[in-house]
Amino acid sequence: MIPFTLQKVLTEAEAIAAAGQGGRYIAGGTTLIDLMREEVERPEKLVDINALPIKHIRAEGGDLVIGALARMSEVAAHPETQRLQPLIAETLVEGASPQLRNVASIGGNLLQRCRCPFFRMLDAGCNKRAPGTGCSAIEGLNGGHAILGTSDQCAATHPSDLAVALIALDATMRVTGPGYERSFPVDELFRLPGTTPHLEHTLRPGELIAEIRVPGGPHARRARYLKVRDRSSYEFAVVSAAAALHVEGGIVRDARIACGGVGTRPWRMRAVERALIGKAPDRAAFEAAARQATEGVKPLSGNHYKVELLPRTIVRALEMAGEVA
Amino acid sequence: MPEETSHIPPAAAAFPPVSRREVLQATAGAVALAALPGGAADSAAAAEAGAAAGHSLRITVNGHAHELAIDPRQSILDVLRERLNLTGTKKGCNQGACGACTILLNGQRVNACLTLAAMHDGAEITTIEGVAQGEALHPLQAAFIEHDGFQCGYCTGGQIMSGLGCIAEGHAGSPAEIKAWMSGNICRCGAYPGIVAAIAQANKAVRS
């Protein structure tokens, strides 16, 4: 591990000032410490933000409001999460081991780095780790990689399960910068790789994620997450789907679907959603709608199977959501 | 304990006994430091640099208070093993995937390898060495023996610490639940049926 300095801050203003002097925020550190040990990440200065008062979890109106430093385990177990947004709890429990969930923060979960093996392999080309060195996955081992949103420079999937749920649920986030705050949809946090795969998010230098807000609605209770993976627990998604349905009078009034494991960012499936509105929530309708999910896919040599697995995962997630009483 | 203490040849009898661990540590440290700028040399280098870096750490481990000067690169795992000689907490993968380093940090199970010790000043830590009451095993330790919850034993300390967390969190209600909530602990010997049975039994004992 490259030597670094560690500064503990007590206020958001102090944190942002420290970040302005080249500091890198650390909360749970479960991704960052690992990547620093591999020397994939080489911050010279860490800013320990764990003392900041942004650990709250509460209901505001029908919204679920989550401080960025709340831990995954706390948010998943919180009665307001389970009451208002069970989908959030489900993605968090599926998202990491219990030990990691006790440490990892919500803000850090959204900013975690990709799990492409070449990203961690210092002697392999990786445009995300070292721009201009090429992508070892596109012509190499790419069975786990993305089929949507790829470029010729990167095909790494975004690993967060929580982000898939937040995007399906139209969550927003509030960030604090030097002398200002701004809020925007979580959907706008994530970039596509394009020609700049090393730029993964839209935060400006020094900005700090303060809070996530998940709006409620009639879809929120009938919502499930299906995570297909190589083993049944504690593994990243091969393909995953978050599905939320509002059914009234035997007809789908609203549908929210987003997927993980298939895109270079968490992927909202708006065409699938549109195809469900006004239909009876049955398997035939789910299958017909799910076919829309693969529009525009670009499979690589090793991940053609995801083109078939993606719609099947969506259908099963919709069935699971439909079974919620 | 032949595997713990080296034989002392007569000519060297004047020197104090050297444990296997100290020999391995000294040898590995010297080789790694000579060969690599970072990586394997990290913990040894960080231990050496501890006093110079001057981060002061006060922690309570198994009820004993410690005050140490540490390098910010040191994980709690490295501090436990290399500064406090508590080697029951194992370094398996050192990347948060295997669970062999599981401890209770302020009452919650965590991977000690992925924690920077300098970020946990004032912490209360329980390691596997602190689970038994003197010679009396904790019910979960006794259950691991009763159900053959291990073969080689390398993961066992982490399994037991994680099992304690699993029971305390209320997620040991059924074999399926135990399997899901123990998924952060890998056993390459495949002692999982015994581990699950041991946790189920201890859960009943603790709750009755």
Side-chain angles (χ1 to χ4, degrees):
Chain A
M1 202 182 284
I2 307 290
F4 58 88
T5 62
L6 179 66
Q7 180 186 354
K8 189 181 178 77
V9 294
L10 300 176
T11 66
E12 285 189 28
E14 208 183 331
I16 289 158
Q21 293 153 15
R24 180 81 183 271
Y25 298 131
I26 184 165
T30 52
T31 298
L32 186 56
I33 293 167
D34 183 31
L35 291 174
M36 286 169 63
R37 197 170 275 142
E38 298 291 329
E39 298 185 6
V40 172
E41 295 270 18
R42 301 171 172 224
E44 293 175 359
K45 174 178 175 177
L46 290 184
V47 181
D48 177 357
I49 57 173
N50 288 294
L52 301 187
I54 44 175
K55 301 183 178 78
H56 52 283
I57 305 162
R58 60 176 175 251
E60 287 184 15
D63 296 355
L64 178 68
V65 178
I66 308 168
L69 284 175
R71 264 45 193 177
M72 289 174 74
S73 56
E74 296 166 347
V75 178
H78 199 281
E80 294 293 14
T81 309
Q82 304 206 344
R83 182 174 70 92
L84 293 171
Q85 295 290 352
L87 179 62
I88 298 289
E90 191 169 22
T91 56
L92 286 169
V93 168
E94 297 296 326
S97 74
Q99 289 97 316
L100 293 171
R101 303 200 300 264
N102 279 340
V103 173
S105 72
I106 296 301
N109 181 289
L110 296 181
L111 297 182
Q112 65 181 299
R113 309 299 305 275
C114 73
R115 262 63 184 187
C116 174
F118 301 109
F119 179 65
R120 299 173 64 95
M121 229 178 267
L122 294 184
D123 52 355
C126 173
N127 291 319
K128 194 181 273 298
R129 184 187 67 246
T133 58
C135 174
S136 301
I138 284 174
E139 300 295 331
L141 288 172
N142 50 36
H145 286 72
I147 55 174
L148 288 162
T150 59
S151 72
D152 60 1
Q153 299 206 14
C154 185
T157 58
H158 192 276
S160 169
D161 300 292
L162 171 66
V164 172
L166 292 177
I167 281 176
L169 296 167
D170 288 324
T172 59
M173 56 197 293
R174 178 166 62 78
V175 304
T176 311
Y180 66 88
E181 286 186 348
R182 65 187 183 105
S183 294
F184 54 91
V186 173
D187 193 47
E188 292 174 12
L189 177 67
F190 302 103
R191 292 173 182 265
L192 291 173
T195 57
T196 55
H198 59 292
L199 302 176
E200 296 175 338
H201 58 74
T202 58
L203 295 182
R204 300 167 193 155
E207 281 186 340
L208 179 73
I209 303 176
E211 189 177 275
I212 307 292
R213 178 176 291 265
V214 192
H219 59 277
R221 287 295 312 174
R222 193 168 282 184
R224 290 296 308 273
Y225 188 62
L226 176 61
K227 186 175 182 184
V228 179
R229 45 196 154 173
D230 288 339
R231 56 182 178 190
S232 62
S233 61
Y234 188 26
E235 182 56 276
F236 293 98
V238 170
V239 175
S240 70
L245 285 175
H246 173 212
V247 180
E248 201 177 83
I251 297 294
V252 177
R253 306 291 173 181
D254 188 12
R256 316 286 182 89
I257 300 156
C259 292
V262 289
T264 49
R265 44 158 293 156
W267 209 267
R268 182 86 180 249
M269 295 290 176
R270 294 198 185 270
V272 181
E273 295 174 3
R274 280 194 296 272
L276 284 168
I277 305 293
K279 304 289 195 311
D282 57 26
R283 183 161 183 118
F286 295 161
E287 285 180 349
R291 279 198 282 277
Q292 304 288 322
T294 54
E295 180 71 29
V297 294
K298 286 187 184 163
L300 300 164
S301 56
N303 65 5
H304 279 263
Y305 72 97
K306 289 192 179 185
V307 179
E308 185 59 37
L309 186 55
L310 170 59
R312 291 187 187 187
T313 304
I314 291 172
V315 168
R316 183 73 193 109
L318 284 165
E319 287 184 328
M320 287 162 58
E323 286 160 12
V324 176
Chain B
M1 293 181 289
E3 77 276 23
E4 285 298 329
T5 310
S6 65
H7 289 287
I8 305 161
F15 294 97
V18 180
S19 76
R20 182 184 67 151
R21 178 175 160 68
E22 283 164 346
V23 172
L24 290 174
Q25 211 173 19
T27 316
V31 171
L33 283 170
L36 295 164
D42 269 0
S43 54
E48 295 295 321
H55 264 268
S56 169
L57 176 70
R58 288 156 302 158
I59 49 172
T60 303
V61 182
N62 303 330
H64 300 288
H66 299 274
E67 186 156 358
L68 304 159
I70 57 161
D71 182 289
R73 286 172 291 179
Q74 282 183 290
S75 64
I76 290 178
L77 176 62
D78 287 337
V79 169
L80 290 172
R81 291 180 58 84
E82 295 177 18
R83 301 294 298 281
L84 303 179
N85 282 321
L86 292 170
T87 55
T89 308
K90 299 302 183 193
K91 185 180 273 192
C93 67
N94 209 28
Q95 50 185 227
C98 78
C101 68
T102 303
I103 58 166
L104 301 183
L105 174 62
N106 299 320
Q108 290 198 303
R109 51 176 163 160
V110 308
N111 297 313
C113 72
L114 289 186
T115 56
L116 295 178
M119 287 170 60
H120 296 280
D121 192 34
E124 300 250 356
I125 292 168
T126 305
T127 70
I128 186 64
E129 289 91 344
V131 174
Q133 297 288 319
E135 292 298 306
L137 293 181
H138 185 281
L140 184 57
Q141 291 175 302
F144 262 70
I145 293 171
E146 188 180 335
H147 291 279
D148 283 335
F150 50 85
Q151 182 177 314
C152 82
Y154 193 84
C155 73
T156 311
Q159 298 280 2
I160 289 174
M161 299 314 294
S162 191
L164 291 173
C166 181
I167 291 169
E169 294 158 15
H171 290 297
S174 70
E177 188 180 26
I178 292 169
K179 286 179 188 174
W181 288 78
M182 288 295 293
S183 63
N185 292 79
I186 309 292
C187 170
R188 288 295 73 146
C189 299
Y192 295 112
I195 292 168
V196 172
I199 293 171
Q201 176 177 311
N203 183 57
K204 281 191 194 130
V206 166
R207 292 185 189 281
S208 64

